[in-house]
PDB file of all heavy atoms in Angstrom:
ATOM      1  N   VAL F1076      85.022 106.311  97.025  1.00 89.00           N
ATOM      2  CA  VAL F1076      83.831 105.997  96.224  1.00 89.00           C
ATOM      3  C   VAL F1076      82.829 105.192  97.050  1.00 89.00           C
ATOM      4  O   VAL F1076      81.624 105.484  97.065  1.00 89.00           O
ATOM      5  CB  VAL F1076      84.222 105.215  94.949  1.00 89.00           C
ATOM      6  CG1 VAL F1076      82.980 104.763  94.185  1.00 89.00           C
ATOM      7  CG2 VAL F1076      85.095 106.074  94.038  1.00 89.00           C
ATOM      8  N   ARG F1077      83.327 104.173  97.750  1.00 91.00           N
ATOM      9  CA  ARG F1077      82.430 103.322  98.537  1.00 91.00           C
ATOM     10  C   ARG F1077      81.685 104.138  99.597  1.00 91.00           C
ATOM     11  O   ARG F1077      80.479 103.977  99.797  1.00 91.00           O
ATOM     12  CB  ARG F1077      83.220 102.188  99.183  1.00 91.00           C
ATOM     13  CG  ARG F1077      82.338 101.053  99.707  1.00 91.00           C
ATOM     14  CD  ARG F1077      83.158  99.997 100.421  1.00 91.00           C
ATOM     15  NE  ARG F1077      84.068  99.291  99.559  1.00 91.00           N
ATOM     16  CZ  ARG F1077      83.801  98.141  98.937  1.00 91.00           C
ATOM     17  NH1 ARG F1077      82.601  97.595  99.067  1.00 91.00           N
ATOM     18  NH2 ARG F1077      84.712  97.543  98.186  1.00 91.00           N
ATOM     19  N   MET F1078      82.391 105.035 100.303  1.00 93.00           N
ATOM     20  CA  MET F1078      81.743 105.853 101.331  1.00 93.00           C
ATOM     21  C   MET F1078      80.733 106.827 100.722  1.00 93.00           C
ATOM     22  O   MET F1078      79.655 107.048 101.266  1.00 93.00           O
ATOM     23  CB  MET F1078      82.797 106.625 102.138  1.00 93.00           C
ATOM     24  CG  MET F1078      83.648 105.782 103.056  1.00 93.00           C
ATOM     25  SD  MET F1078      82.724 104.917 104.352  1.00 93.00           S
ATOM     26  CE  MET F1078      82.434 103.312 103.562  1.00 93.00           C
ATOM     27  N   THR F1079      81.105 107.402  99.574  1.00 94.00           N
ATOM     28  CA  THR F1079      80.191 108.338  98.912  1.00 94.00           C
ATOM     29  C   THR F1079      78.915 107.625  98.481  1.00 94.00           C
ATOM     30  O   THR F1079      77.797 108.092  98.748  1.00 94.00           O
ATOM     31  CB  THR F1079      80.875 108.986  97.691  1.00 94.00           C
ATOM     32  OG1 THR F1079      82.042 109.691  98.124  1.00 94.00           O
ATOM     33  CG2 THR F1079      79.929 109.947  96.990  1.00 94.00           C
ATOM     34  N   GLU F1080      79.060 106.478  97.819  1.00 91.00           N
ATOM     35  CA  GLU F1080      77.885 105.767  97.315  1.00 91.00           C
ATOM     36  C   GLU F1080      77.037 105.205  98.459  1.00 91.00           C
ATOM     37  O   GLU F1080      75.817 105.152  98.364  1.00 91.00           O
ATOM     38  CB  GLU F1080      78.311 104.653  96.364  1.00 91.00           C
ATOM     39  CG  GLU F1080      78.897 105.167  95.056  1.00 91.00           C
ATOM     40  CD  GLU F1080      79.037 104.082  94.002  1.00 91.00           C
ATOM     41  OE1 GLU F1080      78.950 102.888  94.361  1.00 91.00           O
ATOM     42  OE2 GLU F1080      79.244 104.439  92.826  1.00 91.00           O
ATOM     43  N   ARG F1081      77.698 104.787  99.521  1.00 91.00           N
ATOM     44  CA  ARG F1081      76.963 104.171 100.638  1.00 91.00           C
ATOM     45  C   ARG F1081      76.178 105.204 101.442  1.00 91.00           C
ATOM     46  O   ARG F1081      75.079 104.921 101.920  1.00 91.00           O
ATOM     47  CB  ARG F1081      77.944 103.428 101.545  1.00 91.00           C
ATOM     48  CG  ARG F1081      77.271 102.657 102.679  1.00 91.00           C
ATOM     49  CD  ARG F1081      78.294 101.877 103.480  1.00 91.00           C
ATOM     50  NE  ARG F1081      78.868 100.791 102.701  1.00 91.00           N
ATOM     51  CZ  ARG F1081      79.869 100.008 103.135  1.00 91.00           C
ATOM     52  NH1 ARG F1081      80.412 100.234 104.323  1.00 91.00           N
ATOM     53  NH2 ARG F1081      80.328  99.037 102.382  1.00 91.00           N
ATOM     54  N   HIS F1082      76.725 106.411 101.584  1.00 92.00           N
ATOM     55  CA  HIS F1082      76.126 107.374 102.513  1.00 92.00           C
ATOM     56  C   HIS F1082      75.608 108.660 101.882  1.00 92.00           C
ATOM     57  O   HIS F1082      74.787 109.339 102.484  1.00 92.00           O
ATOM     58  CB  HIS F1082      77.148 107.744 103.598  1.00 92.00           C
ATOM     59  CG  HIS F1082      77.562 106.584 104.441  1.00 92.00           C
ATOM     60  ND1 HIS F1082      76.741 105.995 105.366  1.00 92.00           N
ATOM     61  CD2 HIS F1082      78.741 105.884 104.471  1.00 92.00           C
ATOM     62  CE1 HIS F1082      77.379 104.984 105.952  1.00 92.00           C
ATOM     63  NE2 HIS F1082      78.588 104.898 105.436  1.00 92.00           N
ATOM     64  N   LEU F1083      76.094 109.013 100.689  1.00 91.00           N
ATOM     65  CA  LEU F1083      75.762 110.340 100.149  1.00 91.00           C
ATOM     66  C   LEU F1083      74.937 110.309  98.868  1.00 91.00           C
ATOM     67  O   LEU F1083      74.539 111.359  98.375  1.00 91.00           O
ATOM     68  CB  LEU F1083      77.055 111.139  99.893  1.00 91.00           C
ATOM     69  CG  LEU F1083      78.023 111.293 101.064  1.00 91.00           C
ATOM     70  CD1 LEU F1083      79.184 112.195 100.671  1.00 91.00           C
ATOM     71  CD2 LEU F1083      77.309 111.842 102.293  1.00 91.00           C
ATOM     72  N   VAL F1084      74.696 109.126  98.309  1.00 89.00           N
ATOM     73  CA  VAL F1084      73.934 109.034  97.064  1.00 89.00           C
ATOM     74  C   VAL F1084      72.508 108.588  97.367  1.00 89.00           C
ATOM     75  O   VAL F1084      72.283 107.553  98.005  1.00 89.00           O
ATOM     76  CB  VAL F1084      74.594 108.051  96.073  1.00 89.00           C
ATOM     77  CG1 VAL F1084      73.724 107.894  94.825  1.00 89.00           C
ATOM     78  CG2 VAL F1084      75.979 108.537  95.680  1.00 89.00           C
ATOM     79  N   HIS F1085      71.548 109.393  96.896  1.00 88.00           N
ATOM     80  CA  HIS F1085      70.133 109.084  97.099  1.00 88.00           C
ATOM     81  C   HIS F1085      69.404 109.301  95.775  1.00 88.00           C
ATOM     82  O   HIS F1085      69.469 110.393  95.200  1.00 88.00           O
ATOM     83  CB  HIS F1085      69.535 109.979  98.188  1.00 88.00           C
ATOM     84  CG  HIS F1085      70.300 109.940  99.482  1.00 88.00           C
ATOM     85  ND1 HIS F1085      70.204 108.908 100.380  1.00 88.00           N
ATOM     86  CD2 HIS F1085      71.218 110.803  99.997  1.00 88.00           C
ATOM     87  CE1 HIS F1085      71.020 109.133 101.404  1.00 88.00           C
ATOM     88  NE2 HIS F1085      71.642 110.288 101.198  1.00 88.00           N
ATOM     89  N   GLU F1086      68.766 108.227  95.288  1.00 84.00           N
ATOM     90  CA  GLU F1086      68.021 108.271  94.023  1.00 84.00           C
ATOM     91  C   GLU F1086      68.894 108.809  92.896  1.00 84.00           C
ATOM     92  O   GLU F1086      68.464 109.620  92.070  1.00 84.00           O
ATOM     93  CB  GLU F1086      66.743 109.111  94.172  1.00 84.00           C
ATOM     94  CG  GLU F1086      65.772 108.523  95.189  1.00 84.00           C
ATOM     95  CD  GLU F1086      64.497 109.353  95.326  1.00 84.00           C
ATOM     96  OE1 GLU F1086      64.420 110.423  94.689  1.00 84.00           O
ATOM     97  OE2 GLU F1086      63.597 108.922  96.061  1.00 84.00           O
ATOM     98  N   GLY F1087      70.142 108.367  92.896  1.00 85.00           N
ATOM     99  CA  GLY F1087      71.052 108.718  91.811  1.00 85.00           C
ATOM    100  C   GLY F1087      71.747 110.056  91.933  1.00 85.00           C
ATOM    101  O   GLY F1087      72.522 110.436  91.048  1.00 85.00           O
ATOM    102  N   HIS F1088      71.484 110.782  93.022  1.00 89.00           N
ATOM    103  CA  HIS F1088      72.085 112.103  93.187  1.00 89.00           C
ATOM    104  C   HIS F1088      72.943 112.151  94.453  1.00 89.00           C
ATOM    105  O   HIS F1088      72.573 111.594  95.488  1.00 89.00           O
ATOM    106  CB  HIS F1088      70.997 113.183  93.268  1.00 89.00           C
ATOM    107  CG  HIS F1088      70.159 113.280  92.036  1.00 89.00           C
ATOM    108  ND1 HIS F1088      70.610 113.840  90.862  1.00 89.00           N
ATOM    109  CD2 HIS F1088      68.888 112.847  91.784  1.00 89.00           C
ATOM    110  CE1 HIS F1088      69.667 113.764  89.938  1.00 89.00           C
ATOM    111  NE2 HIS F1088      68.612 113.163  90.476  1.00 89.00           N
ATOM    112  N   VAL F1089      74.081 112.842  94.344  1.00 88.00           N
ATOM    113  CA  VAL F1089      74.979 112.995  95.486  1.00 88.00           C
ATOM    114  C   VAL F1089      74.541 114.200  96.308  1.00 88.00           C
ATOM    115  O   VAL F1089      74.243 115.265  95.752  1.00 88.00           O
ATOM    116  CB  VAL F1089      76.439 113.197  95.011  1.00 88.00           C
ATOM    117  CG1 VAL F1089      77.384 113.329  96.211  1.00 88.00           C
ATOM    118  CG2 VAL F1089      76.878 112.045  94.120  1.00 88.00           C
ATOM    119  N   SER F1090      74.497 114.030  97.623  1.00 89.00           N
ATOM    120  CA  SER F1090      74.128 115.145  98.511  1.00 89.00           C
ATOM    121  C   SER F1090      75.053 116.336  98.262  1.00 89.00           C
ATOM    122  O   SER F1090      76.265 116.174  98.153  1.00 89.00           O
ATOM    123  CB  SER F1090      74.244 114.719  99.972  1.00 89.00           C
ATOM    124  OG  SER F1090      73.319 113.715 100.275  1.00 89.00           O
ATOM    125  N   ASP F1091      74.472 117.518  98.208  1.00 89.00           N
ATOM    126  CA  ASP F1091      75.242 118.696  97.789  1.00 89.00           C
ATOM    127  C   ASP F1091      74.873 119.905  98.649  1.00 89.00           C
ATOM    128  O   ASP F1091      73.983 120.671  98.285  1.00 89.00           O
ATOM    129  CB  ASP F1091      74.959 118.970  96.306  1.00 89.00           C
ATOM    130  CG  ASP F1091      75.853 120.041  95.719  1.00 89.00           C
ATOM    131  OD1 ASP F1091      77.000 120.141  96.193  1.00 89.00           O
ATOM    132  OD2 ASP F1091      75.407 120.755  94.807  1.00 89.00           O
ATOM    133  N   PRO F1092      75.524 120.124  99.784  1.00 91.00           N
ATOM    134  CA  PRO F1092      76.567 119.289 100.403  1.00 91.00           C
ATOM    135  C   PRO F1092      75.942 118.221 101.296  1.00 91.00           C
ATOM    136  O   PRO F1092      74.726 118.206 101.506  1.00 91.00           O
ATOM    137  CB  PRO F1092      77.347 120.305 101.226  1.00 91.00           C
ATOM    138  CG  PRO F1092      76.305 121.286 101.648  1.00 91.00           C
ATOM    139  CD  PRO F1092      75.329 121.388 100.502  1.00 91.00           C
ATOM    140  N   PRO F1093      76.771 117.311 101.877  1.00 92.00           N
ATOM    141  CA  PRO F1093      76.244 116.299 102.795  1.00 92.00           C
ATOM    142  C   PRO F1093      75.633 116.935 104.034  1.00 92.00           C
ATOM    143  O   PRO F1093      76.051 118.018 104.462  1.00 92.00           O
ATOM    144  CB  PRO F1093      77.490 115.485 103.184  1.00 92.00           C
ATOM    145  CG  PRO F1093      78.515 115.798 102.154  1.00 92.00           C
ATOM    146  CD  PRO F1093      78.228 117.186 101.677  1.00 92.00           C
ATOM    147  N   THR F1094      74.649 116.251 104.605  1.00 93.00           N
ATOM    148  CA  THR F1094      74.083 116.706 105.878  1.00 93.00           C
ATOM    149  C   THR F1094      75.012 116.282 107.016  1.00 93.00           C
ATOM    150  O   THR F1094      75.895 115.429 106.838  1.00 93.00           O
ATOM    151  CB  THR F1094      72.702 116.078 106.116  1.00 93.00           C
ATOM    152  OG1 THR F1094      72.860 114.656 106.258  1.00 93.00           O
ATOM    153  CG2 THR F1094      71.758 116.361 104.951  1.00 93.00           C
ATOM    154  N   GLU F1095      74.789 116.854 108.193  1.00 94.00           N
ATOM    155  CA  GLU F1095      75.590 116.467 109.360  1.00 94.00           C
ATOM    156  C   GLU F1095      75.391 114.987 109.684  1.00 94.00           C
ATOM    157  O   GLU F1095      76.337 114.285 110.071  1.00 94.00           O
ATOM    158  CB  GLU F1095      75.217 117.335 110.560  1.00 94.00           C
ATOM    159  CG  GLU F1095      75.709 118.768 110.465  1.00 94.00           C
ATOM    160  CD  GLU F1095      75.460 119.555 111.737  1.00 94.00           C
ATOM    161  OE1 GLU F1095      75.110 118.926 112.766  1.00 94.00           O
ATOM    162  OE2 GLU F1095      75.619 120.789 111.711  1.00 94.00           O
ATOM    163  N   ALA F1096      74.158 114.505 109.512  1.00 95.00           N
ATOM    164  CA  ALA F1096      73.863 113.094 109.802  1.00 95.00           C
ATOM    165  C   ALA F1096      74.605 112.175 108.828  1.00 95.00           C
ATOM    166  O   ALA F1096      75.121 111.119 109.231  1.00 95.00           O
ATOM    167  CB  ALA F1096      72.361 112.849 109.724  1.00 95.00           C
ATOM    168  N   GLU F1097      74.655 112.559 107.557  1.00 95.00           N
ATOM    169  CA  GLU F1097      75.366 111.744 106.567  1.00 95.00           C
ATOM    170  C   GLU F1097      76.863 111.710 106.859  1.00 95.00           C
ATOM    171  O   GLU F1097      77.507 110.648 106.768  1.00 95.00           O
ATOM    172  CB  GLU F1097      75.106 112.290 105.158  1.00 95.00           C
ATOM    173  CG  GLU F1097      73.697 112.049 104.668  1.00 95.00           C
ATOM    174  CD  GLU F1097      73.373 112.850 103.410  1.00 95.00           C
ATOM    175  OE1 GLU F1097      74.063 113.868 103.144  1.00 95.00           O
ATOM    176  OE2 GLU F1097      72.426 112.466 102.694  1.00 95.00           O
ATOM    177  N   THR F1098      77.415 112.860 107.216  1.00 96.00           N
ATOM    178  CA  THR F1098      78.842 112.913 107.556  1.00 96.00           C
ATOM    179  C   THR F1098      79.129 112.068 108.790  1.00 96.00           C
ATOM    180  O   THR F1098      80.131 111.346 108.842  1.00 96.00           O
ATOM    181  CB  THR F1098      79.277 114.368 107.797  1.00 96.00           C
ATOM    182  OG1 THR F1098      79.079 115.121 106.587  1.00 96.00           O
ATOM    183  CG2 THR F1098      80.739 114.445 108.193  1.00 96.00           C
ATOM    184  N   ALA F1099      78.240 112.118 109.768  1.00 96.00           N
ATOM    185  CA  ALA F1099      78.420 111.326 110.988  1.00 96.00           C
ATOM    186  C   ALA F1099      78.361 109.833 110.684  1.00 96.00           C
ATOM    187  O   ALA F1099      79.126 109.041 111.257  1.00 96.00           O
ATOM    188  CB  ALA F1099      77.356 111.702 112.015  1.00 96.00           C
ATOM    189  N   ALA F1100      77.473 109.439 109.773  1.00 96.00           N
ATOM    190  CA  ALA F1100      77.366 108.028 109.398  1.00 96.00           C
ATOM    191  C   ALA F1100      78.637 107.563 108.680  1.00 96.00           C
ATOM    192  O   ALA F1100      79.132 106.449 108.914  1.00 96.00           O
ATOM    193  CB  ALA F1100      76.146 107.812 108.505  1.00 96.00           C
ATOM    194  N   MET F1101      79.175 108.420 107.803  1.00 96.00           N
ATOM    195  CA  MET F1101      80.446 108.099 107.148  1.00 96.00           C
ATOM    196  C   MET F1101      81.543 107.927 108.171  1.00 96.00           C
ATOM    197  O   MET F1101      82.337 106.978 108.118  1.00 96.00           O
ATOM    198  CB  MET F1101      80.854 109.215 106.169  1.00 96.00           C
ATOM    199  CG  MET F1101      80.358 109.042 104.770  1.00 96.00           C
ATOM    200  SD  MET F1101      81.304 110.041 103.577  1.00 96.00           S
ATOM    201  CE  MET F1101      81.126 111.682 104.228  1.00 96.00           C
ATOM    202  N   ARG F1102      81.601 108.861 109.097  1.00 96.00           N
ATOM    203  CA  ARG F1102      82.648 108.840 110.119  1.00 96.00           C
ATOM    204  C   ARG F1102      82.563 107.559 110.956  1.00 96.00           C
ATOM    205  O   ARG F1102      83.586 106.932 111.257  1.00 96.00           O
ATOM    206  CB  ARG F1102      82.523 110.080 111.000  1.00 96.00           C
ATOM    207  CG  ARG F1102      83.596 110.215 112.066  1.00 96.00           C
ATOM    208  CD  ARG F1102      84.974 110.347 111.434  1.00 96.00           C
ATOM    209  NE  ARG F1102      86.012 110.408 112.439  1.00 96.00           N
ATOM    210  CZ  ARG F1102      86.650 111.522 112.804  1.00 96.00           C
ATOM    211  NH1 ARG F1102      86.337 112.689 112.260  1.00 96.00           N
ATOM    212  NH2 ARG F1102      87.601 111.477 113.696  1.00 96.00           N
ATOM    213  N   ALA F1103      81.361 107.141 111.298  1.00 97.00           N
ATOM    214  CA  ALA F1103      81.185 105.918 112.093  1.00 97.00           C
ATOM    215  C   ALA F1103      81.665 104.696 111.318  1.00 97.00           C
ATOM    216  O   ALA F1103      82.303 103.788 111.879  1.00 97.00           O
ATOM    217  CB  ALA F1103      79.714 105.765 112.488  1.00 97.00           C
ATOM    218  N   ASP F1104      81.374 104.660 110.024  1.00 96.00           N
ATOM    219  CA  ASP F1104      81.827 103.571 109.150  1.00 96.00           C
ATOM    220  C   ASP F1104      83.361 103.522 109.111  1.00 96.00           C
ATOM    221  O   ASP F1104      83.972 102.452 109.187  1.00 96.00           O
ATOM    222  CB  ASP F1104      81.288 103.798 107.736  1.00 96.00           C
ATOM    223  CG  ASP F1104      80.654 102.546 107.154  1.00 96.00           C
ATOM    224  OD1 ASP F1104      80.676 101.501 107.825  1.00 96.00           O
ATOM    225  OD2 ASP F1104      80.146 102.619 106.022  1.00 96.00           O
ATOM    226  N   ILE F1105      83.967 104.690 108.969  1.00 97.00           N
ATOM    227  CA  ILE F1105      85.429 104.777 108.903  1.00 97.00           C
ATOM    228  C   ILE F1105      86.046 104.320 110.223  1.00 97.00           C
ATOM    229  O   ILE F1105      87.048 103.582 110.232  1.00 97.00           O
ATOM    230  CB  ILE F1105      85.869 106.218 108.554  1.00 97.00           C
ATOM    231  CG1 ILE F1105      85.412 106.591 107.143  1.00 97.00           C
ATOM    232  CG2 ILE F1105      87.384 106.365 108.680  1.00 97.00           C
ATOM    233  CD1 ILE F1105      85.462 108.084 106.848  1.00 97.00           C
ATOM    234  N   GLU F1106      85.463 104.726 111.334  1.00 97.00           N
ATOM    235  CA  GLU F1106      85.997 104.337 112.645  1.00 97.00           C
ATOM    236  C   GLU F1106      85.933 102.829 112.841  1.00 97.00           C
ATOM    237  O   GLU F1106      86.852 102.220 113.406  1.00 97.00           O
ATOM    238  CB  GLU F1106      85.244 105.058 113.771  1.00 97.00           C
ATOM    239  CG  GLU F1106      85.467 106.564 113.825  1.00 97.00           C
ATOM    240  CD  GLU F1106      86.917 106.933 114.113  1.00 97.00           C
ATOM    241  OE1 GLU F1106      87.632 106.136 114.755  1.00 97.00           O
ATOM    242  OE2 GLU F1106      87.342 108.024 113.691  1.00 97.00           O
ATOM    243  N   ARG F1107      84.843 102.201 112.377  1.00 97.00           N
ATOM    244  CA  ARG F1107      84.745 100.736 112.474  1.00 97.00           C
ATOM    245  C   ARG F1107      85.842 100.073 111.641  1.00 97.00           C
ATOM    246  O   ARG F1107      86.429  99.060 112.046  1.00 97.00           O
ATOM    247  CB  ARG F1107      83.362 100.268 112.011  1.00 97.00           C
ATOM    248  CG  ARG F1107      82.262 100.490 113.031  1.00 97.00           C
ATOM    249  CD  ARG F1107      80.978  99.781 112.654  1.00 97.00           C
ATOM    250  NE  ARG F1107      80.356 100.361 111.477  1.00 97.00           N
ATOM    251  CZ  ARG F1107      79.471 101.362 111.513  1.00 97.00           C
ATOM    252  NH1 ARG F1107      79.138 101.903 112.685  1.00 97.00           N
ATOM    253  NH2 ARG F1107      78.933 101.830 110.413  1.00 97.00           N
ATOM    254  N   ALA F1108      86.122 100.640 110.460  1.00 96.00           N
ATOM    255  CA  ALA F1108      87.182 100.100 109.611  1.00 96.00           C
ATOM    256  C   ALA F1108      88.554 100.252 110.268  1.00 96.00           C
ATOM    257  O   ALA F1108      89.406  99.356 110.187  1.00 96.00           O
ATOM    258  CB  ALA F1108      87.171 100.802 108.250  1.00 96.00           C
ATOM    259  N   LEU F1109      88.768 101.372 110.940  1.00 97.00           N
ATOM    260  CA  LEU F1109      90.029 101.581 111.651  1.00 97.00           C
ATOM    261  C   LEU F1109      90.180 100.589 112.803  1.00 97.00           C
ATOM    262  O   LEU F1109      91.287 100.105 113.079  1.00 97.00           O
ATOM    263  CB  LEU F1109      90.115 103.013 112.171  1.00 97.00           C
ATOM    264  CG  LEU F1109      90.314 104.099 111.106  1.00 97.00           C
ATOM    265  CD1 LEU F1109      90.217 105.486 111.729  1.00 97.00           C
ATOM    266  CD2 LEU F1109      91.654 103.939 110.409  1.00 97.00           C
ATOM    267  N   ASP F1110      89.075 100.270 113.470  1.00 97.00           N
ATOM    268  CA  ASP F1110      89.117  99.244 114.517  1.00 97.00           C
ATOM    269  C   ASP F1110      89.585  97.911 113.927  1.00 97.00           C
ATOM    270  O   ASP F1110      90.401  97.203 114.529  1.00 97.00           O
ATOM    271  CB  ASP F1110      87.738  99.066 115.160  1.00 97.00           C
ATOM    272  CG  ASP F1110      87.310 100.262 116.004  1.00 97.00           C
ATOM    273  OD1 ASP F1110      88.196 101.047 116.401  1.00 97.00           O
ATOM    274  OD2 ASP F1110      86.094 100.399 116.246  1.00 97.00           O
ATOM    275  N   LEU F1111      89.050  97.560 112.754  1.00 96.00           N
ATOM    276  CA  LEU F1111      89.456  96.314 112.083  1.00 96.00           C
ATOM    277  C   LEU F1111      90.928  96.344 111.715  1.00 96.00           C
ATOM    278  O   LEU F1111      91.662  95.369 111.937  1.00 96.00           O
ATOM    279  CB  LEU F1111      88.624  96.102 110.805  1.00 96.00           C
ATOM    280  CG  LEU F1111      87.204  95.590 110.964  1.00 96.00           C
ATOM    281  CD1 LEU F1111      86.513  95.558 109.603  1.00 96.00           C
ATOM    282  CD2 LEU F1111      87.212  94.186 111.575  1.00 96.00           C
ATOM    283  N   ALA F1112      91.375  97.460 111.143  1.00 95.00           N
ATOM    284  CA  ALA F1112      92.776  97.582 110.744  1.00 95.00           C
ATOM    285  C   ALA F1112      93.691  97.427 111.947  1.00 95.00           C
ATOM    286  O   ALA F1112      94.743  96.776 111.882  1.00 95.00           O
ATOM    287  CB  ALA F1112      93.017  98.916 110.053  1.00 95.00           C
ATOM    288  N   GLU F1113      93.267  97.999 113.063  1.00 96.00           N
ATOM    289  CA  GLU F1113      94.118  98.004 114.258  1.00 96.00           C
ATOM    290  C   GLU F1113      94.214  96.624 114.913  1.00 96.00           C
ATOM    291  O   GLU F1113      95.115  96.378 115.720  1.00 96.00           O
ATOM    292  CB  GLU F1113      93.605  99.049 115.253  1.00 96.00           C
ATOM    293  CG  GLU F1113      94.690  99.591 116.144  1.00 96.00           C
ATOM    294  CD  GLU F1113      94.324 100.919 116.774  1.00 96.00           C
ATOM    295  OE1 GLU F1113      93.129 101.279 116.790  1.00 96.00           O
ATOM    296  OE2 GLU F1113      95.242 101.605 117.245  1.00 96.00           O
ATOM    297  N   GLU F1114      93.306  95.714 114.565  1.00 96.00           N
ATOM    298  CA  GLU F1114      93.412  94.346 115.066  1.00 96.00           C
ATOM    299  C   GLU F1114      94.662  93.662 114.527  1.00 96.00           C
ATOM    300  O   GLU F1114      95.203  92.745 115.154  1.00 96.00           O
ATOM    301  CB  GLU F1114      92.176  93.539 114.657  1.00 96.00           C
ATOM    302  CG  GLU F1114      90.901  93.928 115.376  1.00 96.00           C
ATOM    303  CD  GLU F1114      89.702  93.170 114.843  1.00 96.00           C
ATOM    304  OE1 GLU F1114      89.896  92.289 113.972  1.00 96.00           O
ATOM    305  OE2 GLU F1114      88.575  93.437 115.283  1.00 96.00           O
ATOM    306  N   THR F1115      95.115  94.091 113.330  1.00 93.00           N
ATOM    307  CA  THR F1115      96.246  93.450 112.653  1.00 93.00           C
ATOM    308  C   THR F1115      97.479  94.328 112.612  1.00 93.00           C
ATOM    309  O   THR F1115      98.605  93.836 112.711  1.00 93.00           O
ATOM    310  CB  THR F1115      95.848  93.104 111.192  1.00 93.00           C
ATOM    311  OG1 THR F1115      94.619  92.390 111.204  1.00 93.00           O
ATOM    312  CG2 THR F1115      96.927  92.284 110.512  1.00 93.00           C
ATOM    313  N   VAL F1116      97.280  95.631 112.435  1.00 96.00           N
ATOM    314  CA  VAL F1116      98.383  96.557 112.195  1.00 96.00           C
ATOM    315  C   VAL F1116      98.546  97.490 113.394  1.00 96.00           C
ATOM    316  O   VAL F1116      97.583  98.154 113.792  1.00 96.00           O
ATOM    317  CB  VAL F1116      98.124  97.394 110.913  1.00 96.00           C
ATOM    318  CG1 VAL F1116      99.283  98.339 110.649  1.00 96.00           C
ATOM    319  CG2 VAL F1116      97.906  96.473 109.715  1.00 96.00           C
ATOM    320  N   PRO F1117      99.751  97.567 113.989  1.00 96.00           N
ATOM    321  CA  PRO F1117      99.971  98.457 115.133  1.00 96.00           C
ATOM    322  C   PRO F1117     100.070  99.917 114.678  1.00 96.00           C
ATOM    323  O   PRO F1117     101.151 100.512 114.629  1.00 96.00           O
ATOM    324  CB  PRO F1117     101.293  97.945 115.717  1.00 96.00           C
ATOM    325  CG  PRO F1117     102.026  97.372 114.543  1.00 96.00           C
ATOM    326  CD  PRO F1117     100.972  96.797 113.642  1.00 96.00           C
TER     327      PRO F1117
END
Side-chain angles (χ1 to χ4, degrees):
V1076 174
R1077 195 184 294 267
M1078 289 298 94
T1079 300
E1080 291 192 345
R1081 185 176 292 175
H1082 297 288
L1083 306 184
V1084 176
H1085 306 282
E1086 298 180 356
H1088 298 286
V1089 181
S1090 295
D1091 188 31
T1094 65
E1095 288 187 12
E1097 289 168 339
T1098 298
M1101 270 199 303
R1102 183 62 183 256
D1104 228 358
I1105 295 164
E1106 292 297 333
R1107 283 191 292 271
L1109 289 173
D1110 291 340
L1111 283 175
E1113 207 160 17
E1114 289 175 4
T1115 309
V1116 181

